[in-house]
Amino acid sequence: MFSQLDWHVKSGELWQIKGDNGAGKTSLMRAIAGLAPQSLEGRLSVLADFLFLGHKAGIKSDFTAIENLRLHLGDAQNGDERQLNDALATVGLADYRDEYAYRLSAGQQRRIALARLFLVDAPLWLLDEPLTAIDVDGVAIIEACIDRQVRNGGSVIYTSHQPLKLQLSTSTLHLRGKGQSPYVS
Amino acid sequence: MYRSVFGKVLVRQLLLAFRRPAAVLNPLFFYGVVVLLMPLGLGPQQSVLSQFAPGLLWITALLAGLLSAETIFRGDYDDGALEQLLVSGESLYLASLGYVVAHWCLTGLPLALFSPAFGQLLSLPDEGLGTLAVSLALGTLVLSAFGCVGAALTMALRRGGMLLSLLILPLEVPVLILGAGVVERAVNGMPVDSLISILGGLSLLALALTPLAIGSSIKISLEV
Amino acid sequence: MAWTWFHRLGSSPWIYRFSGQLLRYLLPLAIVLVVAGSVWGLAFTPPDFRQGNSYRIIYIHVPVSVVSLAGYYVMAIAGAISLIWRLKVADMAMRVAAPIGAAMTFLALLTGAVWGKPTWGTYWVWDARITSMVVLLFLYLGVFALYEAYDNKALASKACAILSLVGTVNIPIIYKSVDWWYSLHQPASIKFTGGSTIDPSMFYPLLLMIVAVYCLYTCLLLMGLRLTLLETEAKTAWVKKEILGES
């Protein structure tokens, strides 16, 4: 996909990965998350606990919003019921707590996945296209989320086709496709 | 709330199934339909049916397990839940065990519970009914375990269905032989304890070892 | 000492040359053994008092049956090594072992059927050993089909390694259960000539043929391995040097 990448992410840093379609953004994200060790030659060490939000968010349409948080297969440290409710309220789904996910819109389902950002205490966030299907209010929620995470000393790596409005210094990793080495700005 | 990932997967799978109750009944319906085909294909004579009943009932259980296996990981693969499971660093061994046990609860166990009724339909002598239920309850654990292995290996493939049967049916030969054999012995009034123990041993072996293969296969399938 | 070996096993040119050296001796040996064993078995052993000359097919049937079972273990062990130590050679060995083993199994079934016609009056009998062989063939075919189904061949190898390991644990259970099944349903008229009743004059050539087919199997495996090595590393310098001659 791409070659020669020497890249370090420290805590408190915000990174955006940019590149055309097929440049390897998602592959890189998945490799960092440990989902594609085969496709990677070289050394990759992820020293922090992390949270991964991919294209597919793991939302079950036959579960209610709250059940989707409660029975989520990912995070080891599930919050108690009150924390789950708070997280749903923060992403604006308080009224839809017991609604089946198949009755919710794509954007609302995506918000359930976003609610996990408030439940897991991970120093590193990997957000692959977090804005997909999200409306303006939702974008604001994500921006606030990322802001809080970075200010608290955590780091965020994200990919996005839409620009995020953030009051933080963002570093960018440009992937340039086949055979070309990426550069940082 | 659910301390181990085993419990979480189990509760999740069961809850998902019961949200669509028809899906829980599907294996039973399938079993019933196939049993209906037997007298139509073999003729209605009780002597013929009762002679073949142990084998037929067991082969049908194999097919029921096979058909339901394809969907074990389908949903969780498509919507990204498996990805989240792998990323979380939870024990894949325990999660896989959860999938196996959940599949058994949803197919093997109900089949075993209702099998005496199906046995009656095929004129299985009364002496064999209890043994049929017990052998199915134990043997279908092995079927669920192999079903999960096959499903984990093929979930990322477009044409998984036929392939799945080629992968797991040969592995299930011992269970079929033992299961049908033990019922036949019961019908003939011979002791069955030792064979039931062997079936139990096989299911424990399958429960202990297959989660290793299932876990590794999940990892492979997520890379595709 | 052990580690230098391990290092060498990771080096494709070394394996290519070493297997070439090995084949230089092993291949003629295999051919001589196969010819000698066949001639001895087919021409210089006494006819069986019950089966006449038709029994002579055991000089092919038994060796390929034995090797086809061993071949599954070779495949599974190679797969396990490639899974655990990520050794490329082991991965290739597994891929090469699958078709050879499947071919041997098929040959065993075919010769068994040919043998069955004069002996039992039918090409096919659900005898315990034949049935086990059929299951083995399907285990091989499963590995085959799985490999073909994956687009990403690196992942395909891993998946096949897992499947063949599952099969390996299961094979003894399958064989035992099929034996038991046959004893349960055995028709009284058919009895297999057990190994203990075979006359030494027939047994020694059989032993020779088993050794010969093992040698042949090893040769085929090595040749396949060399071919796969060249194929996968076609663009490297050592292959060009090897193929286009010294320079």
Side-chain angles (χ1 to χ4, degrees):
Chain A
M1 205 79 78
F2 46 82
S3 57
Q4 293 179 359
L5 173 60
D6 183 14
W7 184 34
H8 301 269
V9 176
K10 296 191 205 64
S11 54
E13 287 185 344
L14 175 62
W15 281 87
Q16 179 176 13
I17 303 178
K18 278 188 180 167
D20 298 335
N21 290 336
K25 298 190 293 289
T26 292
S27 300
L28 180 59
M29 285 294 235
R30 288 178 69 85
I32 298 172
L35 286 169
Q38 279 288 311
S39 55
L40 207 74
E41 276 179 39
R43 216 162 62 90
L44 170 80
S45 9
V46 179
L47 302 173
D49 280 340
F50 62 87
L51 183 145
F52 173 73
L53 184 59
H55 290 205
K56 303 184 285 187
I59 301 299
K60 283 267 169 265
S61 54
D62 279 342
F63 282 164
T64 62
I66 189 82
E67 282 169 344
N68 261 305
L69 291 183
R70 199 186 293 147
L71 287 168
H72 177 59
L73 278 182
D75 19 301
Q77 64 263 61
N78 262 335
D80 56 28
E81 259 340 79
R82 197 180 48 77
Q83 282 171 297
L84 299 184
N85 287 329
D86 288 351
L88 277 184
T90 318
V91 295
L93 289 178
D95 295 341
Y96 298 92
R97 179 180 181 275
D98 294 315
E99 197 69 70
Y100 286 116
Y102 64 79
R103 297 225 180 93
L104 302 178
S105 71
Q108 285 172 316
Q109 293 193 20
R110 192 78 184 162
R111 284 180 183 220
I112 301 177
L114 292 179
R116 296 209 302 266
L117 299 178
F118 298 93
L119 286 171
V120 179
D121 208 12
L124 172 63
W125 286 1
L126 303 167
L127 310 178
D128 196 5
E129 294 293 343
L131 302 185
T132 310
I134 294 277
D135 57 17
V136 182
D137 291 348
V139 172
I141 294 170
I142 295 174
E143 285 165 353
C145 256
I146 293 177
D147 195 80
R148 195 195 49 159
Q149 164 83 349
V150 174
R151 285 185 204 283
N152 288 344
S155 29
V156 177
I157 304 173
Y158 73 94
T159 67
S160 175
H161 286 295
Q162 292 164 250
L164 278 175
K165 286 191 288 295
L166 292 165
Q167 309 296 323
L168 298 160
S169 67
T170 310
S171 318
T172 309
L173 177 75
H174 297 268
L175 300 180
R176 296 189 297 170
K178 212 169 169 62
Q180 304 199 53
S181 48
Y183 68 94
V184 165
S185 69
Chain B
M1 192 166 174
Y2 309 101
R3 280 288 167 71
S4 92
V5 67
F6 168 78
K8 209 187 223 177
V9 169
L10 185 60
V11 169
R12 228 176 104 90
Q13 293 294 97
L14 295 184
L15 190 61
L16 270 176
F18 284 108
R19 284 285 148 82
R20 308 263 168 191
V24 183
L25 295 174
N26 275 346
L28 282 175
F29 291 160
F30 171 80
Y31 210 90
V33 165
V34 178
V35 164
L36 161 75
L37 295 181
M38 302 301 177
L40 295 178
L42 296 171
Q45 300 93 329
Q46 299 221 326
S47 58
V48 175
L49 287 178
S50 69
Q51 188 196 342
F52 291 124
L56 294 177
L57 289 164
W58 257 97
I59 292 174
T60 314
L62 241 66
L63 295 179
L66 174 72
L67 288 178
S68 55
E70 212 196 326
T71 54
I72 297 173
F73 295 107
R74 182 64 58 206
D76 285 347
Y77 177 77
D78 287 341
D79 67 22
L82 275 178
E83 241 172 58
Q84 292 292 335
L85 171 68
L86 188 59
V87 163
S88 73
E90 294 268 20
S91 156
L92 276 181
Y93 181 90
L94 289 178
S96 306
L97 197 61
Y99 279 108
V100 173
V101 174
H103 182 256
W104 177 74
C105 290
L106 293 169
T107 58
L109 191 58
L111 282 190
L113 289 177
F114 283 91
S115 62
F118 294 124
Q120 293 279 349
L121 293 179
L122 289 184
S123 314
L124 185 73
D126 292 349
E127 299 81 33
L129 294 179
T131 311
L132 176 68
V134 174
S135 67
L136 273 177
L138 290 172
T140 45
L141 263 173
V142 184
L143 302 186
S144 289
F146 283 133
C148 281
V149 173
L153 282 169
T154 55
M155 64 175 131
L157 306 173
R158 269 153 293 159
R159 311 166 296 273
M162 287 303 266
L163 181 61
L164 185 63
S165 57
L166 180 57
L167 298 190
I168 63 178
L169 286 181
L171 297 172
E172 297 176 346
V173 163
V175 185
L176 172 65
I177 291 176
L178 279 171
V182 74
V183 176
E184 214 169 297
R185 279 173 75 102
V187 170
N188 294 332
M190 291 194 275
V192 293
D193 306 6
S194 59
L195 287 175
I196 290 283
S197 328
I198 293 176
L199 258 182
L202 283 185
S203 37
L204 285 182
L205 194 68
L207 282 183
L209 292 183
T210 51
L212 295 170
I214 299 166
S216 322
S217 309
I218 291 177
K219 275 194 203 163
I220 291 173
S221 288
L222 285 178
E223 275 190 53
V224 168
Chain C
M1 188 65 189
W3 281 107
T4 52
W5 256 95
F6 199 74
H7 260 314
R8 280 183 188 163
L9 282 175
S11 146
S12 311
W14 185 81
I15 291 169
Y16 185 80
R17 284 187 207 113
F18 180 74
S19 56
Q21 297 263 312
L22 207 61
L23 272 177
R24 193 173 297 166
Y25 302 103
L26 202 57
L27 193 56
L29 181 70
I31 294 171
V32 168
L33 286 180
V34 168
V35 171
S38 312
V39 172
W40 188 2
L42 296 182
F44 294 97
T45 50
D48 186 73
F49 78 98
R50 253 186 310 135
Q51 299 184 19
N53 281 322
S54 68
Y55 89 95
R56 291 180 201 279
I57 203 166
I58 64 164
Y59 295 114
I60 297 171
H61 175 72
V62 173
V64 291
S65 309
V66 170
V67 173
S68 60
L69 180 58
Y72 196 89
Y73 281 86
V74 169
M75 182 176 76
I77 290 167
I81 292 173
S82 83
L83 271 186
I84 298 168
W85 289 293
R86 290 159 191 257
L87 214 55
K88 257 192 308 184
V89 191
D91 173 49
M92 290 177 199
M94 182 196 76
R95 270 155 48 198
V96 173
I100 302 176
M104 291 272 182
T105 314
F106 184 71
L107 205 59
L109 282 173
L110 196 70
T111 50
V114 171
W115 187 19
K117 187 66 182 170
T119 316
W120 296 325
T122 168
Y123 283 113
W124 195 262
V125 170
W126 288 101
D127 155 77
R129 291 171 211 214
I130 293 179
T131 310
S132 301
M133 269 294 158
V134 177
V135 179
L136 185 66
L137 181 65
F138 278 113
L139 288 177
Y140 271 120
L141 292 181
V143 173
F144 233 54
L146 188 64
Y147 188 81
E148 286 307 313
Y150 273 83
D151 292 330
N152 180 335
K153 292 308 174 195
L155 293 177
S157 304
K158 278 180 140 190
C160 290
I162 292 174
L163 181 65
S164 51
L165 281 173
V166 175
T168 308
V169 177
N170 218 337
I171 281 182
I173 302 174
I174 293 175
Y175 271 65
K176 261 268 156 311
S177 65
V178 170
D179 273 348
W180 179 77
W181 160 81
Y182 190 63
S183 70
L184 199 69
H185 300 278
Q186 193 170 32
S189 59
I190 297 165
K191 282 235 169 58
F192 224 93
T193 338
S196 53
T197 62
I198 192 167
D199 189 80
S201 64
M202 299 174 181
F203 181 64
Y204 290 128
L206 181 61
L207 208 59
L208 182 69
M209 274 307 277
I210 291 178
V211 174
V213 175
Y214 262 112
C215 283
L216 192 67
Y217 175 82
T218 314
C219 288
L220 289 173
L221 198 66
L222 287 177
M223 286 157 80
L225 190 64
R226 282 161 63 84
L227 207 61
T228 317
L229 265 177
L230 290 183
E231 224 167 41
T232 43
E233 311 209 354
K235 285 181 185 144
T236 58
W238 74 265
V239 171
K240 282 183 185 141
K241 199 172 129 192
E242 205 67 51
I243 300 299
L244 301 175
E246 317 300 314
S247 67

